[in-house]
Every structure is written in structure tokens, then in C-alpha cells.
Amino acid sequence: MGKVKAEYIWIDGHKPTSKLRSKTKVLEGPVTSLEDIPEWSFDGSSTMQAVGNDSDCLLVPVYYIKDPIRGEDDILVMNEVRQPDGSVHESNTRARLAEIAEKFKHHEPWFGIEQEYTFFVGRSPLGWPEGGYPAPQGPFYCGVGADEVFGRDIVEDHMEACLEAGIEFSGINAEVMPGQWEFQIGPVGATDAGDQLWLARWLLYRIAEEYGVNATLHPKPVKGDWNGAGAHTNFSTKSMRESGGIKVIEAACEALGKKHDEHIAVYGAHNEERLTGLHETCSISEFRYGVSDRGASIRIPMATAKDGYGYLEDRRPSANMDPYLVCAALIETCCD
Ligand code: ADP
Ligand code: MN
Ligand code: MN
Ligand code: MN
């Protein structure tokens, strides 16, 4: 067995929105479990995670998948950032989610996340006339044809790569604003949802890089009468998925209403630009839930209301949210 190229991926200390970082370590193969992947370190002073005179931070591998870009035996490794003594670094939001997921595991929480994003070339969204605007929104959502859809080759490559890597990828669609797209992952458990979403984001940036295109998760990439970008988070527990679960879902919605501000605080920066009450959103200062209501904070899908069990959709998280924080908040509020 030869060498394995392991891309160590971690989340930096950038504020208010963390960014992905990565570097490559060549390992002796084969890698058949997490234990075969050693801890590593990096210069935290270059990632807003340490000061210059004491800058080593630890990378602790927590999850890995096949690297669909390099090939065969190579891997992408998700890491938690720790201090040299092993304690949790303040930028590490995953460690707390892992604790909460363990504490409430008897509820069997599942997550399905809809990641919206926007392609940019320079200062314009992909497909937009340089310095100008396309036709008003309307025909682009789930559209087809060279005049309506921009970047499908990248989107298809990304989907293929995620499936190849073993991510629980569940679909894609072109969005309301031209140049804007969505992919979904799930349903999966809490830490898997977080790890897989971050890795799918990394693959999106990496694949778009080949095309000279930049993907942004900004919640309102173009000001004005254009849709923002969210990360609707679909959530269920075992009792929500069982007969009579609608009662549990309604109780969860009531609990979420009482903690609206705490949730908004971890649902992504600049979200107030997106949650205006227009463009299929509920205003950031209001909380509402309802069946099939795409203008509500929480939507109970039609099928869930009809069956009497299923899941809820939290429509508030923005595209740039940290899934470790969002999943932790949902479990804490709905399961406690
Ligand atoms: P929308 O109609 O809001 O656009 P999507 O089809 O884009 O919905 O996304 C729905 C998401 O919900 C998918 O990621 C799917 O995996 C997830 N999902 C389905 N069932 C459940 C469930 N029981 N619990 C949590 N998530 C679920
Ligand atoms: Mn969707
Ligand atoms: Mn969408
Ligand atoms: Mn949705």
C-alpha cells in the first residue's frame, strides 16, 4: 500500500463568520479508521486562532471521507481545533455539539440541511451582465436553458463529487435569483450533518475554483429585490417521526418561539439583511409557525400535517450559518 494524501480541513477563527482552511499531509497507507490518521498542528496566528508568540494549535481528526478529487485512496479529514494541551479551542463549536448529541441521543435527532449559495465571477453573480442586472426574478427557480441557468456544470460536478465521497447528499435545485443554487444533505444525525455540510462546502469551493468561479454563502449577496440565501434546517426526533408526532412537533414550535432570540444569535451573521418578511422569509423580529407557510419562521411540511407525523423546517438559519451551532440549538430547545 502506497502513500495516502490526506487533506486536513478545519474551521478558522474568522469573525463574525468562520471560514474553511486546509492543508495536505502525506500518510503511510492504508487508512482504514480514524485511528490511522494522526493529530497535526498549524500556525494559529495566521487563522485568527492564536497570537504570534504562542501560535501552535492542534488538529484532531474527527471524521473522514474519500477524496473524490485526488482519487482512490486519498481522503478529506475533518478536524476539531484544540489547544496544545488538548482543551477545546474557543473557535471549536463541534465539541459542544458532540456533547449535546450524546446527551440527547435517545431522541434520535435527524437533520436535513438545504444549503443555498451564489456563484460570483469578480463582483457579479455568475451569468449577470457586467455591472448590470438580469431580467427580474421569476423564470430562474428550477429553470432550464442557457438564458436562465448559470453554472450547472459546476453544480453537477459538485453533486457527483459529494456522492462519490459518501456524503448523504439528497438533491440540488437552481434558485430564484439567477446564479444562486441549493444542495441538500440528510437526513442524518447531528454531528454527521455538521461534518458533512462543512465538507460539502469545502468541495463546492474547491470544485468551483477549477472553473475560476467563487461560491459565496452571504445571506444577501445582492441588495434589493433579489432573494437572499438561507440554510433551511429540517429537524425531527424519533417521537416526531412516529404516529401522533405532530403533537411533539407543535410543542417543539412553541418552545422554539420562546427562544427565538437565542436561536437567531447563532443562525448566521448579516441574517437581518435576509429575514425581512419579503422573499419567502419571516421578519427577524417576529416568530411564526404554520403548515406549508413559506413566510413563517418554522414551516410544518404539508405531508407532515397530513400524515400526523414527520418533521419541521426551521427557515431562519442563513446560508453562512455554522451547522454545529444550529444543530446544537435545535436539540437543546426541542429535546430538553
Ligand atoms: P423544501 O421543500 O423546503 O425545498 P427540500 O426538499 O429542499 O425541501 O429539503 C428537505 C430536506 O429535509 C432534505 O434534506 C431531506 O433530507 C430532509 N428531511 C426529510 N425527512 C426528514 C426528517 N424526518 N427529519 C429531518 N430532515 C428530513
Ligand atoms: Mn429546498
Ligand atoms: Mn431553497
Ligand atoms: Mn426549504
Side-chain angles (χ1 to χ4, degrees), residues 97-127:
L97 172 63
E99 266 173 39
I100 289 167
E102 178 61 28
K103 180 171 166 199
F104 293 102
K105 69 174 177 206
H106 51 285
H107 287 275
E108 297 176 30
W110 288 0
F111 294 87
I113 302 177
E114 304 168 50
Q115 176 70 68
E116 294 178 342
Y117 60 93
T118 313
F119 287 135
F120 270 77
V121 178
R123 296 159 69 113
S124 300
L126 185 64

mmCIF file of all heavy atoms in Angstrom, residues 97-127:
data_model
loop_
_atom_site.group_PDB
_atom_site.id
_atom_site.type_symbol
_atom_site.label_atom_id
_atom_site.label_comp_id
_atom_site.label_asym_id
_atom_site.label_seq_id
_atom_site.Cartn_x
_atom_site.Cartn_y
_atom_site.Cartn_z
ATOM 1 N N LEU A 97 -21.407 20.448 20.318
ATOM 2 C CA LEU A 97 -22.481 19.697 19.656
ATOM 3 C C LEU A 97 -22.339 18.203 19.947
ATOM 4 O O LEU A 97 -23.332 17.520 20.213
ATOM 5 C CB LEU A 97 -22.470 19.938 18.136
ATOM 6 C CG LEU A 97 -23.448 19.033 17.363
ATOM 7 C CD1 LEU A 97 -24.902 19.304 17.765
ATOM 8 C CD2 LEU A 97 -23.278 19.184 15.857
ATOM 9 N N ALA A 98 -21.100 17.696 19.919
ATOM 10 C CA ALA A 98 -20.887 16.267 20.175
ATOM 11 C C ALA A 98 -21.392 15.896 21.576
ATOM 12 O O ALA A 98 -22.019 14.848 21.761
ATOM 13 C CB ALA A 98 -19.407 15.921 20.016
ATOM 14 N N GLU A 99 -21.153 16.772 22.549
ATOM 15 C CA GLU A 99 -21.642 16.536 23.914
ATOM 16 C C GLU A 99 -23.170 16.512 23.974
ATOM 17 O O GLU A 99 -23.774 15.632 24.593
ATOM 18 C CB GLU A 99 -21.191 17.678 24.845
ATOM 19 C CG GLU A 99 -19.916 17.415 25.596
ATOM 20 C CD GLU A 99 -19.470 18.664 26.353
ATOM 21 O OE1 GLU A 99 -20.340 19.379 26.916
ATOM 22 O OE2 GLU A 99 -18.251 18.927 26.360
ATOM 23 N N ILE A 100 -23.782 17.509 23.323
ATOM 24 C CA ILE A 100 -25.244 17.606 23.348
ATOM 25 C C ILE A 100 -25.879 16.429 22.602
ATOM 26 O O ILE A 100 -26.869 15.853 23.049
ATOM 27 C CB ILE A 100 -25.682 18.963 22.751
ATOM 28 C CG1 ILE A 100 -25.299 20.078 23.733
ATOM 29 C CG2 ILE A 100 -27.168 19.006 22.449
ATOM 30 C CD1 ILE A 100 -25.384 21.459 23.145
ATOM 31 N N ALA A 101 -25.291 16.059 21.482
ATOM 32 C CA ALA A 101 -25.815 14.930 20.701
ATOM 33 C C ALA A 101 -25.762 13.645 21.524
ATOM 34 O O ALA A 101 -26.678 12.817 21.475
ATOM 35 C CB ALA A 101 -25.026 14.770 19.394
ATOM 36 N N GLU A 102 -24.696 13.503 22.295
ATOM 37 C CA GLU A 102 -24.552 12.318 23.150
ATOM 38 C C GLU A 102 -25.617 12.325 24.254
ATOM 39 O O GLU A 102 -26.303 11.338 24.493
ATOM 40 C CB GLU A 102 -23.125 12.321 23.741
ATOM 41 C CG GLU A 102 -22.806 11.185 24.699
ATOM 42 C CD GLU A 102 -22.923 9.797 24.063
ATOM 43 O OE1 GLU A 102 -22.732 9.675 22.829
ATOM 44 O OE2 GLU A 102 -23.242 8.843 24.822
ATOM 45 N N LYS A 103 -25.792 13.503 24.872
ATOM 46 C CA LYS A 103 -26.742 13.626 25.987
ATOM 47 C C LYS A 103 -28.178 13.317 25.556
ATOM 48 O O LYS A 103 -28.950 12.730 26.305
ATOM 49 C CB LYS A 103 -26.647 15.056 26.543
ATOM 50 C CG LYS A 103 -27.565 15.350 27.709
ATOM 51 C CD LYS A 103 -27.251 16.719 28.324
ATOM 52 C CE LYS A 103 -28.372 17.165 29.244
ATOM 53 N NZ LYS A 103 -28.318 18.622 29.485
ATOM 54 N N PHE A 104 -28.532 13.717 24.329
ATOM 55 C CA PHE A 104 -29.915 13.549 23.871
ATOM 56 C C PHE A 104 -30.064 12.454 22.808
ATOM 57 O O PHE A 104 -31.021 12.450 22.048
ATOM 58 C CB PHE A 104 -30.447 14.875 23.319
ATOM 59 C CG PHE A 104 -30.600 15.947 24.365
ATOM 60 C CD1 PHE A 104 -29.666 16.965 24.482
ATOM 61 C CD2 PHE A 104 -31.670 15.912 25.257
ATOM 62 C CE1 PHE A 104 -29.797 17.951 25.455
ATOM 63 C CE2 PHE A 104 -31.808 16.885 26.236
ATOM 64 C CZ PHE A 104 -30.873 17.912 26.338
ATOM 65 N N LYS A 105 -29.104 11.530 22.769
ATOM 66 C CA LYS A 105 -29.108 10.563 21.663
ATOM 67 C C LYS A 105 -30.326 9.645 21.683
ATOM 68 O O LYS A 105 -30.741 9.145 20.635
ATOM 69 C CB LYS A 105 -27.809 9.770 21.611
ATOM 70 C CG LYS A 105 -27.593 8.806 22.751
ATOM 71 C CD LYS A 105 -26.334 7.979 22.516
ATOM 72 C CE LYS A 105 -26.125 7.077 23.709
ATOM 73 N NZ LYS A 105 -24.739 6.698 23.926
ATOM 74 N N HIS A 106 -30.943 9.461 22.855
ATOM 75 C CA HIS A 106 -32.137 8.610 22.923
ATOM 76 C C HIS A 106 -33.304 9.222 22.145
ATOM 77 O O HIS A 106 -34.264 8.532 21.817
ATOM 78 C CB HIS A 106 -32.519 8.349 24.385
ATOM 79 C CG HIS A 106 -32.632 9.592 25.214
ATOM 80 N ND1 HIS A 106 -31.523 10.297 25.646
ATOM 81 C CD2 HIS A 106 -33.707 10.276 25.671
ATOM 82 C CE1 HIS A 106 -31.919 11.359 26.328
ATOM 83 N NE2 HIS A 106 -33.244 11.367 26.352
ATOM 84 N N HIS A 107 -33.233 10.541 21.824
ATOM 85 C CA HIS A 107 -34.265 11.177 20.987
ATOM 86 C C HIS A 107 -34.040 10.917 19.494
ATOM 87 O O HIS A 107 -34.890 11.234 18.675
ATOM 88 C CB HIS A 107 -34.277 12.690 21.219
ATOM 89 C CG HIS A 107 -34.848 13.108 22.537
ATOM 90 N ND1 HIS A 107 -36.195 13.280 22.734
ATOM 91 C CD2 HIS A 107 -34.258 13.373 23.733
ATOM 92 C CE1 HIS A 107 -36.418 13.647 23.993
ATOM 93 N NE2 HIS A 107 -35.255 13.701 24.619
ATOM 94 N N GLU A 108 -32.879 10.390 19.155
ATOM 95 C CA GLU A 108 -32.514 10.116 17.764
ATOM 96 C C GLU A 108 -32.793 11.300 16.825
ATOM 97 O O GLU A 108 -33.579 11.177 15.880
ATOM 98 C CB GLU A 108 -33.220 8.843 17.266
ATOM 99 C CG GLU A 108 -32.785 7.609 18.031
ATOM 100 C CD GLU A 108 -33.552 6.346 17.625
ATOM 101 O OE1 GLU A 108 -33.975 6.260 16.458
ATOM 102 O OE2 GLU A 108 -33.713 5.467 18.489
ATOM 103 N N PRO A 109 -32.176 12.456 17.070
ATOM 104 C CA PRO A 109 -32.394 13.619 16.207
ATOM 105 C C PRO A 109 -31.810 13.415 14.802
ATOM 106 O O PRO A 109 -30.724 12.873 14.657
ATOM 107 C CB PRO A 109 -31.631 14.747 16.927
ATOM 108 C CG PRO A 109 -31.331 14.249 18.289
ATOM 109 C CD PRO A 109 -31.234 12.751 18.167
ATOM 110 N N TRP A 110 -32.605 13.836 13.803
ATOM 111 C CA TRP A 110 -32.159 13.801 12.402
ATOM 112 C C TRP A 110 -32.200 15.225 11.855
ATOM 113 O O TRP A 110 -33.115 15.996 12.194
ATOM 114 C CB TRP A 110 -33.108 12.993 11.536
ATOM 115 C CG TRP A 110 -33.087 11.518 11.721
ATOM 116 C CD1 TRP A 110 -32.312 10.781 12.578
ATOM 117 C CD2 TRP A 110 -33.919 10.585 11.011
ATOM 118 N NE1 TRP A 110 -32.616 9.446 12.441
ATOM 119 C CE2 TRP A 110 -33.591 9.304 11.491
ATOM 120 C CE3 TRP A 110 -34.897 10.715 10.019
ATOM 121 C CZ2 TRP A 110 -34.207 8.147 11.006
ATOM 122 C CZ3 TRP A 110 -35.520 9.574 9.537
ATOM 123 C CH2 TRP A 110 -35.170 8.293 10.033
ATOM 124 N N PHE A 111 -31.271 15.505 10.958
ATOM 125 C CA PHE A 111 -31.215 16.811 10.306
ATOM 126 C C PHE A 111 -31.123 16.662 8.793
ATOM 127 O O PHE A 111 -30.427 15.791 8.295
ATOM 128 C CB PHE A 111 -29.989 17.600 10.789
ATOM 129 C CG PHE A 111 -30.068 17.973 12.237
ATOM 130 C CD1 PHE A 111 -29.619 17.103 13.217
ATOM 131 C CD2 PHE A 111 -30.634 19.173 12.619
ATOM 132 C CE1 PHE A 111 -29.715 17.427 14.558
ATOM 133 C CE2 PHE A 111 -30.740 19.511 13.962
ATOM 134 C CZ PHE A 111 -30.275 18.630 14.926
ATOM 135 N N GLY A 112 -31.819 17.545 8.086
ATOM 136 C CA GLY A 112 -31.666 17.670 6.634
ATOM 137 C C GLY A 112 -31.450 19.146 6.363
ATOM 138 O O GLY A 112 -32.284 19.971 6.720
ATOM 139 N N ILE A 113 -30.314 19.489 5.785
ATOM 140 C CA ILE A 113 -29.985 20.914 5.613
ATOM 141 C C ILE A 113 -29.997 21.279 4.135
ATOM 142 O O ILE A 113 -29.423 20.574 3.299
ATOM 143 C CB ILE A 113 -28.623 21.247 6.257
ATOM 144 C CG1 ILE A 113 -28.673 20.875 7.750
ATOM 145 C CG2 ILE A 113 -28.290 22.729 6.076
ATOM 146 C CD1 ILE A 113 -27.375 21.081 8.498
ATOM 147 N N GLU A 114 -30.697 22.381 3.824
ATOM 148 C CA GLU A 114 -30.771 22.902 2.457
ATOM 149 C C GLU A 114 -29.781 24.059 2.355
ATOM 150 O O GLU A 114 -30.026 25.130 2.891
ATOM 151 C CB GLU A 114 -32.175 23.425 2.158
ATOM 152 C CG GLU A 114 -33.280 22.392 2.377
ATOM 153 C CD GLU A 114 -34.662 23.047 2.362
ATOM 154 O OE1 GLU A 114 -34.968 23.805 1.423
ATOM 155 O OE2 GLU A 114 -35.427 22.822 3.311
ATOM 156 N N GLN A 115 -28.684 23.810 1.693
ATOM 157 C CA GLN A 115 -27.636 24.844 1.604
ATOM 158 C C GLN A 115 -27.815 25.656 0.326
ATOM 159 O O GLN A 115 -27.599 25.154 -0.776
ATOM 160 C CB GLN A 115 -26.254 24.196 1.605
ATOM 161 C CG GLN A 115 -25.098 25.179 1.407
ATOM 162 C CD GLN A 115 -24.889 26.091 2.605
ATOM 163 O OE1 GLN A 115 -24.492 25.624 3.662
ATOM 164 N NE2 GLN A 115 -25.158 27.393 2.443
ATOM 165 N N GLU A 116 -28.210 26.928 0.472
ATOM 166 C CA GLU A 116 -28.249 27.821 -0.685
ATOM 167 C C GLU A 116 -26.927 28.570 -0.792
ATOM 168 O O GLU A 116 -26.281 28.840 0.221
ATOM 169 C CB GLU A 116 -29.415 28.809 -0.557
ATOM 170 C CG GLU A 116 -30.763 28.088 -0.625
ATOM 171 C CD GLU A 116 -31.975 28.999 -0.461
ATOM 172 O OE1 GLU A 116 -31.821 30.136 0.045
ATOM 173 O OE2 GLU A 116 -33.076 28.557 -0.811
ATOM 174 N N TYR A 117 -26.551 28.921 -2.019
ATOM 175 C CA TYR A 117 -25.278 29.628 -2.236
ATOM 176 C C TYR A 117 -25.341 30.346 -3.575
ATOM 177 O O TYR A 117 -26.218 30.074 -4.403
ATOM 178 C CB TYR A 117 -24.097 28.654 -2.194
ATOM 179 C CG TYR A 117 -24.161 27.561 -3.238
ATOM 180 C CD1 TYR A 117 -23.544 27.719 -4.482
ATOM 181 C CD2 TYR A 117 -24.862 26.378 -3.004
ATOM 182 C CE1 TYR A 117 -23.619 26.718 -5.439
ATOM 183 C CE2 TYR A 117 -24.943 25.389 -3.958
ATOM 184 C CZ TYR A 117 -24.315 25.566 -5.182
ATOM 185 O OH TYR A 117 -24.396 24.583 -6.136
ATOM 186 N N THR A 118 -24.403 31.264 -3.792
ATOM 187 C CA THR A 118 -24.414 32.080 -5.005
ATOM 188 C C THR A 118 -23.040 32.070 -5.647
ATOM 189 O O THR A 118 -22.033 32.301 -4.962
ATOM 190 C CB THR A 118 -24.801 33.535 -4.658
ATOM 191 O OG1 THR A 118 -25.957 33.518 -3.806
ATOM 192 C CG2 THR A 118 -25.110 34.330 -5.917
ATOM 193 N N PHE A 119 -23.004 31.809 -6.943
ATOM 194 C CA PHE A 119 -21.737 31.870 -7.684
ATOM 195 C C PHE A 119 -21.430 33.304 -8.084
ATOM 196 O O PHE A 119 -22.328 34.015 -8.558
ATOM 197 C CB PHE A 119 -21.826 31.029 -8.962
ATOM 198 C CG PHE A 119 -21.794 29.543 -8.732
ATOM 199 C CD1 PHE A 119 -22.697 28.710 -9.393
ATOM 200 C CD2 PHE A 119 -20.850 28.964 -7.889
ATOM 201 C CE1 PHE A 119 -22.665 27.334 -9.208
ATOM 202 C CE2 PHE A 119 -20.813 27.589 -7.695
ATOM 203 C CZ PHE A 119 -21.720 26.776 -8.361
ATOM 204 N N PHE A 120 -20.179 33.682 -7.930
ATOM 205 C CA PHE A 120 -19.718 35.006 -8.366
ATOM 206 C C PHE A 120 -18.500 34.878 -9.266
ATOM 207 O O PHE A 120 -17.649 34.011 -9.059
ATOM 208 C CB PHE A 120 -19.317 35.869 -7.156
ATOM 209 C CG PHE A 120 -20.435 36.689 -6.589
ATOM 210 C CD1 PHE A 120 -21.412 36.102 -5.800
ATOM 211 C CD2 PHE A 120 -20.531 38.056 -6.860
ATOM 212 C CE1 PHE A 120 -22.457 36.854 -5.277
ATOM 213 C CE2 PHE A 120 -21.566 38.815 -6.339
ATOM 214 C CZ PHE A 120 -22.537 38.221 -5.553
ATOM 215 N N VAL A 121 -18.432 35.763 -10.256
ATOM 216 C CA VAL A 121 -17.199 35.967 -11.004
ATOM 217 C C VAL A 121 -16.887 37.442 -10.832
ATOM 218 O O VAL A 121 -17.679 38.293 -11.242
ATOM 219 C CB VAL A 121 -17.362 35.609 -12.492
ATOM 220 C CG1 VAL A 121 -16.058 35.878 -13.232
ATOM 221 C CG2 VAL A 121 -17.768 34.157 -12.647
ATOM 222 N N GLY A 122 -15.769 37.739 -10.190
ATOM 223 C CA GLY A 122 -15.474 39.129 -9.862
ATOM 224 C C GLY A 122 -16.556 39.666 -8.946
ATOM 225 O O GLY A 122 -16.914 39.038 -7.956
ATOM 226 N N ARG A 123 -17.142 40.805 -9.312
ATOM 227 C CA ARG A 123 -18.141 41.422 -8.441
ATOM 228 C C ARG A 123 -19.572 41.107 -8.829
ATOM 229 O O ARG A 123 -20.512 41.599 -8.194
ATOM 230 C CB ARG A 123 -17.932 42.945 -8.426
ATOM 231 C CG ARG A 123 -16.577 43.340 -7.829
ATOM 232 C CD ARG A 123 -16.180 44.729 -8.288
ATOM 233 N NE ARG A 123 -17.061 45.718 -7.682
ATOM 234 C CZ ARG A 123 -16.657 46.624 -6.786
ATOM 235 N NH1 ARG A 123 -15.401 46.660 -6.421
ATOM 236 N NH2 ARG A 123 -17.499 47.489 -6.282
ATOM 237 N N SER A 124 -19.750 40.300 -9.873
ATOM 238 C CA SER A 124 -21.114 39.999 -10.342
ATOM 239 C C SER A 124 -21.454 38.535 -10.144
ATOM 240 O O SER A 124 -20.601 37.668 -10.327
ATOM 241 C CB SER A 124 -21.248 40.308 -11.831
ATOM 242 O OG SER A 124 -20.995 41.658 -12.093
ATOM 243 N N PRO A 125 -22.729 38.259 -9.826
ATOM 244 C CA PRO A 125 -23.159 36.862 -9.804
ATOM 245 C C PRO A 125 -22.974 36.238 -11.191
ATOM 246 O O PRO A 125 -23.099 36.939 -12.198
ATOM 247 C CB PRO A 125 -24.643 36.944 -9.447
ATOM 248 C CG PRO A 125 -24.800 38.257 -8.748
ATOM 249 C CD PRO A 125 -23.803 39.175 -9.399
ATOM 250 N N LEU A 126 -22.666 34.949 -11.205
ATOM 251 C CA LEU A 126 -22.439 34.235 -12.460
ATOM 252 C C LEU A 126 -23.645 34.385 -13.390
ATOM 253 O O LEU A 126 -24.789 34.164 -12.978
ATOM 254 C CB LEU A 126 -22.189 32.754 -12.154
ATOM 255 C CG LEU A 126 -21.816 31.857 -13.340
ATOM 256 C CD1 LEU A 126 -20.491 32.274 -13.949
ATOM 257 C CD2 LEU A 126 -21.754 30.402 -12.894
ATOM 258 N N GLY A 127 -23.378 34.781 -14.628
ATOM 259 C CA GLY A 127 -24.436 34.897 -15.627
ATOM 260 C C GLY A 127 -25.054 36.286 -15.706
ATOM 261 O O GLY A 127 -25.846 36.557 -16.600
#
